[in-house]
C-alpha cells in the first residue's frame, strides 16, 4: 500500500493518526536539527517533518541527502504544526516521519518545477513530462478534462449520440491540405486523415441519428501559425429537423454551461448577435473583439468631393474611406504613426495611413488637413466625433485593404494602448455569412464556409445571376473575445441545390464525381433538413483560460514546425519498409535542420 | 418549425391537439378510402391517417403516390385509433393529417430498411447510411453511445483525468505494424499512428497526473481478421501509487457498472480469477470461455508407460498427452471425427487426433484401445471420467500443439454441440502472465505483454539465469465469454530494471537509443510506481451485445481488406502531390483485381 491519503486531505482532526503518503519532493529544508519536506502530488502538498527523536538518526541522516523531485513513500503520525501555513488546506498539520522509502530518485532537472519565469518553448516541450508537474500546466490539463466532461454531460442530457467516425478517411478538396497515409494492404492507395467529419456527420443525419456529437481529432497539414496545430480537437455537432435558431439556442446554452463549469462564472444574458456585414463594416473583422469599442467610421459621404485625390479616387474605384479614433493622442509620436503605417503597408498592402490628431488643447495636427476646406474638415471631424487628445487613423483603398487594415490596427491599438478589459468575456454570434467569396488568385468563386452550407431562401434567386456575392447563408460563428471558437450552418438537404452550388464553385463533372460522387448519391435516399456546428476545443479553452497559445491547453502539442520534441517525431524510417511494404521511394530532400 | 413532438411521444392525453411531426415513411398502406403512413424517426413510429374528408382530396391523392423512406413534415390532429397497436408506445393514437410537406424524396433503395434477413456485408457497408436506419444497427449505435458515456461518468466520478495524447506519434518496435504518415513540413520524415498510447500514459504518470484515462483511437496496419480493424477504440487507463489489486478492483467495478448500463443486468458476485498457467492447462486458452465446462484432462501419468509409442514419445520429448471429453457421442461419426482431426492438423500442426468413444450401452469404440493393457485402459477411462454416450478426444504432442489444439477443439465442440449457454455472461480475470515468450521464428525471447510490464518481486532472481520463461509478471486480462476485452499490468518504474528487460529482449544499444532513448531518459526524473490497463471498446461492446463481429458495433468499419466501401477509401492520389509535396515516388504495384 503506497498511500491511504492524498496530499490535500489531512486536517487537524487527523492528529495522532498514523498515515502513509506518497509523492514527489517539492522542497527540502535542512534546519540542522530538523528536516522539512514538502511532499507533492496532483492534489496538494503535505509537510513532512524529520528529526532524530521521531525518525531515528539513520533515517534523519538519509533525509538530509534527499533531492527535489525524488519520489517517496512516507509513514508517520499526523501532528499539529508549530507554525501554520494558511495558504494550503493541509497547512495546520505535518507528518512526523517514522519510515521513508525512496521509490524513485531524480537526477538534476533541466529546470525547476517551481520556476514561474519564462522558460523556452523548446525546453518545455522536450521535457513536457516535467512541464506538466508545474501548477499552471497541471491546472490547464485539469480544466481541459473538466471542459470535455462538461460538454459530454450536456450533450448526453440533451439526447445527442456520441458517434465516432473514421480517422482513416478519404481526401477532400477545398480548404487546407490532407495528411495522407499509405496502405500496406492496398499498396499504391492512400487514406487521408480527416480535416473534419463534415460529410460523416451529414451522413449520420441521413441515417436518422437525429442528434449527433463527437469530440473528434482533426488534421491539417499546413504551415503552422502560433494558434494552429497539425492535429486538433473539434466538438462536432449535427441536428436534424432544425432551423438556424434551434442550433444557435442549443449552442448558446452549451457554451454557457461549459463556461460555468470551467471558469465558475455564470452568464445569464443572451449573447449579442451581429451580421457578418456589420461585423466587417464596424470592426473590420468577422470575429470582432468586443472588449473595447473603437468602431470603424465611414467617411465616404464627407470625402466624396473633398478635394483630396487619394480619398476621392479610392471612392471612385468602388473602395472606401474609413477611420478609427483612438485615445491617448500624446502617445502617437511621428515615429509611432510611421510604425503603424508600415504595419498596414506590410501586412495589408495599404498605400499609406492618413491621420488627424487633436492635441490636449484642441489643436489639430494632420498632414492631410491642408487638402480640405474648413467646412469639409469640420464635417469630417464631426463625423469622427474626435475629441481633445484623440487621433483618427484613416485608410482609403479597396474594401478589403481598408477593412482588414483598420480591423488589425484596431486590435493592435487595443493591446498597445491597453484599451482591452482583460477581465471581460465578450461572447458574440456573427451570422449571415456570404456563400461565395471571389478568389483573386484562382479567378473563381470559393465557398466562404463550405459547399454544403444552405443558402437563404430569399437569396436563391441570385444563383443564376452574376450576383453570387449577394447570396447569404444560414450560418453562424460564435466569437469569444475576438477568437472564433466555433461555427456552423444549416446544410443543403436538396440534391439539386447541392449540385448547383458545386457547379457555381467551378467543379468539373469529373472532379465532382471523384470527390463527392458518393455524397451526391447519399442525398438521393431521403434527407432530413439538418444543420450543426463545430467548436475548436483548443482555441475555446485557450480563450476561457486567457492563454496566449493553444499549446498551453494541449497536453502534447507540436512545435510550429510540426515536431514533437519529446518523442522525436516525425522521424526517418527505413527505406526497406517504405519500398517493400508501401512501394514508395523517397526522393532527394534538402534538409533545413 | 419541423416538429413539436418526436415520434414516440404522443399518447391518449394528446387527443385533439394539433401537432407537427417529421420523419421517414416506414410504410404506406393505401386502403382505397384511407391511406395509412407509418412515420419513423430515431425515437419511434407514429401512424398518420389520410382521408378525403380530413385531408382534402388533393393531399389525399398526393399521399397515395408517397414511397418508403421519403421524408415528410406532417401537421394534423391527434385522434384515437380504431384498431390499436399494443406493440408501440404511440399505438393508441394516430394523426389525422391536414397538411403534409415532402421534405425529401427517396429513390428505390438497394434493400428494404425492414429487411431482417442476411444482407451481404458489402451491400451493408456501401450503404451504411441506410444500414444504420435498420433497428438493430441503430440500437447498436445507441448502445455504443451509452457505453462510452457510462465509462466516462465512472472515470470522472473516480477522479481520472481525460487527457488526449497525439495521433501523429512515433513508430514503436515490437508488435504489429505502424501506419506511417509522411510530413510535408518535414519532408523525408514520417509520423506513425499509435498502436496504443502506452508510453504517453506512462509519461503522464511521471508528470504526476496520478489517474488518467482516455478513449483513444489506435491503429494497426496488419492483415485483418474477422475481429480486427485497422483503427479501433481503446479505453486506456493508468494509475500511480497502485498495486495489482488496486487496478483490478477499480476495473472490476468499472466493468460491472458499464455492463449494467448497457445490458441492464446487475452483477454482484466477484469475478473469478485464474492464473495464466491454469487457463492454459485446463482450457488450452489464455481467455477461456467459461459458459461451458469441458476442461483439458492430463493423461501424462496414465500414459507414461502405456505401451503406445505415440503417447510415450510425446511425453519423452517433454510434451503432453491431454484430452477433452464431449457428450453426444452419437454425433461423432467417423466423418465428423475425421473433420476434427483435419482441423487440428491444418491449424495446429497436430500429427493426429486419437479418440475413445463410449456408446449409449457402454461399449468402447477406439482405434487406440488395442495398444493398452486392460488395466491401463481402465486407468485412462477413470481419469477421463468418461460416461456412456461420451467421447474423449486426445492429443499427444508438444505443449503448444496439445493446448492450442484442444483449446480450439473445445470451442468448436462447444458451438457445434450447442453446449454453450448463450444467455450467460461469464467474466474472468486471467492473471500472472509470463514475462518472456520464446519466439521460434526469431530465435529470441519476446515480451508476452509488452516490455514495460513489471516482473514479480520473487521472480527477479531469474533475470540473470537461463530460466527467463519462469518469470511471471504483475499482469491481468479481463475475459468475457471467451473474448479478451481488456488487459494490463503494473509497469516497471525502475530505470535499471527497464534497461535489463530491454537487454534480455535482445535490443541492441543503438536500437534502444533510437526507439526508447527518450523513455529511458523520462525514467530518470522521479517515477511513481504505476500500472493500468486498456480495454478494446469494440470487442467489449460486441461481447456485451452478443454480436459475432466488431463490425456490428463500429459505426463506419472497414472491410477485411481495409476498405471503406461507402466513401471509397483508400484511393489513389495524384503523383504530383506525392512527388512535390512529400518527395515520394510510387513504385510499381501489382494490383489484384
Amino acid at each position: 500500500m503506497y498511500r491511504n491519503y492524498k496530499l490535500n486531505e489531512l486536517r487537524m482532526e487527523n492528529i495522532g493518526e498514523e498515515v502513509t503518503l506518497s509523492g514527489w519532493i517539492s522542497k527540502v529544508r535542512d534546519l540542522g536539527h530538523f528536516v522539512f519536506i514538502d511532499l507533492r502530488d496532483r492534489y496538494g502538498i503535505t509537510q513532512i517533518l524529520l528529526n532524530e527523536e521521531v525518525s531515528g538518526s539513520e533515517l534523519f541522516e538519509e533525509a538530509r541527502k534527499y533531492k527535489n523531485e525524488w519520489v517517496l513513500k512516507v509513514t508517520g503520525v499526523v501532528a499539529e504544526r508549530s507554525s501554520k501555513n494558511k495558504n494550503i488546506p493541509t497547512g495546520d498539520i505535518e507528518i512526523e516521519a517514522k519510515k521513508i522509502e525512496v521509490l524513485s530518485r531524480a537526477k538534476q532537472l533541466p529546470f525547476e518545477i517551481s520556476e514561474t519565469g519564462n522558460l523556452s518553448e523548446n525546453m518545455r516541450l522536450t521535457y513536457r513530462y516535467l512541464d506538466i508537474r508545474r501548477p499552471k500546466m497541471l491546472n490547464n490539463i485539469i480544466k481541459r478534462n473538466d471542459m470535455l466532461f462538461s460538454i459530454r454531460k450536456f450533450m448526453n442530457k440533451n439526447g445527442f449520440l456520441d458517434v465516432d467516425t473514421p480517422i482513416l478517411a478519404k481526401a477532400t478538396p477545398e480548404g487546407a491540405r490532407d495528411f495522407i497515409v499509405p496502405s500496406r494492404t492496398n499498396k499504391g492507395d492512400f487514406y487521408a486523415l480527416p480535416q473534419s467529419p463534415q460529410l460523416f456527420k451529414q451522413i449520420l443525419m441521413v441515417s436518422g441519428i437525429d442528434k449527433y456529437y463527437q469530440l473528434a481529432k482533426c488534421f491539417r497539414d499546413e504551415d503552422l501559425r502560433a494558434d494552429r496545430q497539425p492535429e486538433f480537437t473539434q466538438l462536432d455537432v449535427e441536428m436534424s429537423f432544425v432551423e438556424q435558431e434551434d442550433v444557435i439556442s442549443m449552442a448558446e446554452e452549451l457554451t454557457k454551461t461549459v463556461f460555468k463549469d470551467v471558469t465558475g462564472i455564470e452568464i445569464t444574458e443572451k449573447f449579442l448577435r451581429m451580421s457578418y456585414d456589420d461585423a466587417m463594416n464596424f470592426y473590420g473583422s468577422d470575429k470582432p473583439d468586443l472588449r473595447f469599442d473603437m468602431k470603424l467610421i465611414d467617411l465616404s459621404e464627407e470625402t466624396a468631393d473633398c478635394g483630396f485625390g487619394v480619398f476621392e479616387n479610392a471612392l471612385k474605384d468602388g473602395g472606401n474611406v474609413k477611420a478609427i479614433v483612438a485615445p491617448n493622442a500624446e502617445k502617437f509620436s511621428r515615429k509611432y504613426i510611421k510604425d503603424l503605417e508600415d504595419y498596414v503597408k506590410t501586412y495589408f498592402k495599404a498605400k499609406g495611413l492618413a491621420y488627424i490628431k487633436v492635441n490636449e488643447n484642441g489643436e489639430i495636427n494632420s498632414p492631410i488637413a491642408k487638402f480640405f476646406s474648413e467646412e469639409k474638415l469640420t464635417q469630417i471631424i464631426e463625423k469622427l466625433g474626435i475629441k481633445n487628445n484623440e487621433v483618427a487613423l484613416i485608410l482609403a483603398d479597396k474594401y478589403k485593404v481598408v477593412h482588414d487594415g483598420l480591423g488589425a490596427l484596431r486590435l493592435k491599438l487595443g493591446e498597445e494602448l491597453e484599451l482591452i478589459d482583460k477581465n471581460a468575456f465578450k461572447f458574440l454570434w456573427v451570422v449571415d455569412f456570404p456563400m461565395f467569396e471571389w478568389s483573386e488568385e484562382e479567378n473563381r468563386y470559393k465557398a466562404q464556409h463550405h459547399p454544403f452550407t444552405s443558402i437563404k431562401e430569399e437569396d436563391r434567386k441570385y444563383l443564376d445571376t452574376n450576383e453570387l456575392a449577394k447570396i447569404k447563408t444560414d450560418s453562424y460563428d460564435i466569437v469569444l473575445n475576438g477568437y472564433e471558437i466555433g461555427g456552423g450552418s444549416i446544410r443543403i438537404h436538396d440534391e439539386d441545390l447541392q449540385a448547383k452550388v458545386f457547379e457555381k464553385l467551378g467543379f468539373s463533372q469529373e472532379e465532382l464525381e471523384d470527390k463527392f460522387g458518393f455524397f451526391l448519391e447519399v442525398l438521393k435516399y431521403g434527407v432530413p433538413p439538418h444543420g450543426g456546428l463545430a467548436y475548436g476545443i483548443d482555441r475555446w479553452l485557450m480563450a476561457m483560460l486567457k492563454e496566449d497559445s493553444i499549446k498551453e491547453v494541449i497536453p502534447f502539442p507540436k512545435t510550429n514546425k510540426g515536431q514533437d520534441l519529446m518523442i522525436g517525431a516525425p522521424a526517418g524510417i527505413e527505406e526497406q519498409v517504405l519500398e517493400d511494404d508501401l512501394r514508395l521511394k523517397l526522393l532527394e530532400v534538402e534538409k533545413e535542420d
Side-chain angles (χ1 to χ4, degrees), chain A:
Chain A
M1 197 255 296
Y2 289 106
R3 63 182 176 197
N4 55 1
Y5 286 97
K6 289 166 189 156
L7 299 177
N8 64 336
E9 291 182 332
L10 292 168
R11 298 288 186 279
M12 289 293 280
E13 55 262 37
N14 301 102
I15 283 173
E17 211 176 307
E18 181 170 300
V19 298
T20 299
L21 305 177
S22 287
W24 284 260
I25 298 175
S26 200
K27 203 159 64 183
V28 195
R29 280 166 298 153
D30 185 348
L31 304 184
H33 290 295
F34 298 99
V35 173
F36 288 104
I37 298 172
D38 279 354
L39 200 65
R40 185 197 70 230
D41 65 10
R42 176 181 126 196
Y43 313 95
I45 284 182
T46 299
Q47 179 165 292
I48 313 295
L49 165 71
L50 290 105
N51 61 39
E52 286 206 327
E53 199 180 323
V54 175
S55 318
S57 59
E58 197 183 342
L59 176 56
F60 181 69
E61 288 306 323
E62 276 305 309
R64 304 179 89 158
K65 297 178 210 149
Y66 292 168
K67 300 274 183 272
N68 282 358
E69 302 306 315
W70 288 22
V71 182
L72 303 182
K73 172 179 154 184
V74 177
T75 302
V77 175
V78 184
E80 186 168 0
R81 275 205 212 182
S82 51
S83 101
K84 297 185 177 172
N85 178 350
K86 294 290 164 206
N87 298 321
I88 58 172
T90 63
D92 289 346
I93 60 92
E94 63 195 358
I95 311 301
E96 294 178 343
K98 290 162 126 183
K99 202 180 152 211
I100 295 185
E101 188 184 333
V102 175
L103 298 173
S104 177
R105 286 178 171 71
K107 69 173 195 180
Q108 179 66 48
L109 269 61
F111 51 81
E112 290 296 317
I113 301 303
S114 56
E115 174 67 59
T116 51
N118 278 328
L119 293 171
S120 82
E121 182 179 288
N122 276 11
M123 181 67 92
R124 290 180 56 200
L125 294 184
T126 304
Y127 295 96
R128 190 60 155 187
Y129 46 96
L130 301 178
D131 192 34
I132 294 175
R133 287 189 194 164
R134 305 167 75 209
K136 191 169 86 96
M137 265 311 296
L138 178 60
N139 181 59
N140 286 2
I141 283 182
I142 292 171
K143 288 293 182 190
R144 188 178 176 99
N145 168 77
D146 297 347
M147 177 191 192
L148 297 178
F149 193 66
S150 170
I151 290 170
R152 293 185 189 283
K153 262 192 309 189
F154 181 93
M155 300 315 284
N156 192 69
K157 197 175 121 201
N158 287 279
F160 287 84
L161 293 179
D162 181 2
V163 183
D164 49 321
T165 58
I167 299 282
L168 295 171
K170 195 183 177 182
T172 51
E174 299 260 307
R177 290 174 301 175
D178 292 315
F179 280 104
I180 62 160
V181 184
S183 163
R184 273 188 180 83
T185 316
N186 305 276
K187 293 188 209 309
D189 285 341
F190 298 80
Y191 302 100
L193 305 183
Q195 293 180 33
S196 93
Q198 181 65 34
L199 290 184
F200 278 100
K201 71 176 173 177
Q202 294 194 234
I203 283 167
L204 284 167
M205 295 304 102
V206 179
S207 304
I209 289 300
D210 204 82
K211 287 171 150 193
Y212 143 91
Y213 86 101
Q214 183 185 193
L215 282 155
K217 287 275 188 178
C218 302
F219 305 85
R220 275 196 211 128
D221 191 3
E222 59 187 351
D223 289 338
L224 305 168
R225 288 181 279 153
D227 60 347
R228 285 276 174 94
Q229 284 278 312
E231 75 178 274
F232 54 99
T233 307
Q234 190 167 297
L235 167 60
D236 203 40
V237 181
E238 199 76 6
M239 307 161 81
S240 287
F241 303 115
V242 291
E243 290 163 326
Q244 173 157 331
E245 271 317 309
D246 300 309
V247 182
I248 286 186
S249 105
M250 179 284 301
E252 188 161 322
E253 204 190 321
L254 165 69
T255 308
K256 287 174 178 173
T257 302
V258 172
F259 189 71
K260 173 77 165 45
D261 286 346
V262 171
T263 67
I265 302 170
E266 188 145 7
I267 301 175
T268 47
E269 66 271 26
K270 283 197 82 173
F271 293 169
L272 286 177
R273 299 233 188 141
M274 196 181 286
S275 71
Y276 168 84
D277 285 347
D278 281 353
M280 287 306 295
N281 287 335
F282 292 124
Y283 297 95
S285 167
D286 60 358
K287 42 180 194 288
D289 185 346
L290 298 188
R291 288 177 297 172
F292 68 113
D293 194 20
M294 202 193 280
K295 287 197 193 65
L296 274 59
I297 298 163
D298 189 354
L299 297 176
S300 321
E301 220 173 287
E302 292 73 14
T303 58
D305 306 290
C306 64
F308 180 36
V310 173
F311 285 7
E312 285 181 356
N313 290 335
L315 292 169
K316 270 180 209 145
D317 293 347
N320 305 80
V321 180
K322 286 194 156 189
I324 49 174
V325 175
N328 301 33
E330 81 279 3
K331 287 207 179 167
F332 287 75
S333 63
R334 280 197 177 198
K335 165 88 173 57
Y336 187 52
I337 293 175
K338 178 69 167 52
D339 287 347
L340 297 176
E341 182 168 38
D342 287 347
Y343 174 74
V344 288
K345 279 178 162 175
T346 307
Y347 295 105
F348 303 96
K349 296 180 184 155
K351 291 188 228 47
L353 179 67
Y355 68 90
I356 301 173
K357 189 169 149 183
V358 182
N359 291 346
E360 281 286 9
N361 50 18
E363 191 186 315
I364 291 174
N365 171 347
S366 169
I368 58 166
K370 60 185 175 219
F371 296 108
F372 306 117
S373 65
E374 185 92 5
E375 196 197 334
K376 276 287 168 199
L377 192 59
T378 309
Q379 275 176 22
I380 290 171
I381 283 178
E382 222 156 76
K383 181 67 174 281
L384 290 170
I386 192 169
K387 295 193 284 285
N388 287 3
N389 197 28
E390 289 190 338
V391 56
L393 301 169
I394 310 169
L395 281 179
D397 214 311
K398 286 184 201 154
Y399 184 93
K400 198 170 159 52
V401 174
V402 168
H403 290 83
D404 291 355
L406 287 179
L409 269 188
R410 176 180 175 272
L411 291 179
K412 194 173 160 65
L413 293 176
E415 281 298 341
E416 292 176 2
L417 304 180
E418 295 175 4
L419 307 175
I420 297 173
D421 175 0
K422 294 284 185 179
N423 292 316
F425 287 101
K426 292 291 183 184
F427 287 94
L428 169 72
W429 285 107
V430 177
V431 298
D432 304 343
F433 285 77
M435 179 74 208
F436 299 101
E437 177 175 57
W438 182 256
S439 164
E440 294 282 354
E441 296 112 63
E442 301 183 36
N443 197 38
R444 67 173 183 99
Y445 278 105
K446 297 176 77 167
Q448 175 147 352
H449 256 55
H450 54 59
F452 315 108
T453 310
S454 185
I455 289 173
K456 282 191 184 294
E457 201 69 44
E458 63 268 27
D459 290 346
R460 292 191 187 171
K461 59 177 182 277
Y462 298 120
L463 261 177
D464 286 313
T465 70
N466 286 329
E467 305 185 284
L468 288 183
K470 276 194 179 169
I471 298 177
K472 295 292 198 292
T473 56
D474 292 318
S475 54
Y476 31 83
D477 274 4
I478 183 162
V479 176
L480 170 55
N481 290 353
Y483 293 109
E484 179 206 327
I485 61 173
S489 63
I490 298 300
R491 326 299 182 183
I492 297 171
H493 71 278
D494 181 82
E495 183 197 351
D496 298 331
L497 181 57
Q498 186 66 74
K500 162 101 43 179
V501 166
F502 280 137
E503 178 202 315
K504 295 293 166 190
L505 290 170
F507 285 108
S508 72
Q509 202 53 42
E510 197 194 332
E511 225 177 331
L512 207 55
E513 196 45 55
D514 187 39
K515 301 294 186 188
F516 294 116
F518 96 92
F519 188 66
L520 288 172
E521 174 78 5
V522 171
L523 294 179
K524 291 182 200 296
Y525 290 102
V527 182
H530 61 288
L533 82 171
Y535 289 78
I537 289 292
D538 311 308
R539 200 166 313 164
W540 182 7
L541 180 57
M542 176 186 93
M544 288 193 292
L545 297 180
K546 297 188 178 286
E547 290 285 5
D548 288 330
S549 161
I550 55 173
K551 294 197 198 88
E552 300 295 335
V553 300
I554 296 175
F556 298 101
K558 305 278 192 291
T559 65
N560 288 4
K561 284 186 167 179
Q563 291 166 323
D564 186 321
L565 297 177
M566 185 180 76
I567 60 173
I573 62 169
E574 287 170 31
E575 275 186 38
Q576 200 202 320
V577 173
L578 268 185
E579 296 197 11
D580 295 355
D581 287 11
L582 304 170
R583 300 302 293 150
L584 289 172
K585 190 171 170 54
L586 193 56
L587 302 172
E588 212 166 299
V589 176
E590 274 177 50
K591 285 274 179 187
E592 278 180 42
D593 79 334

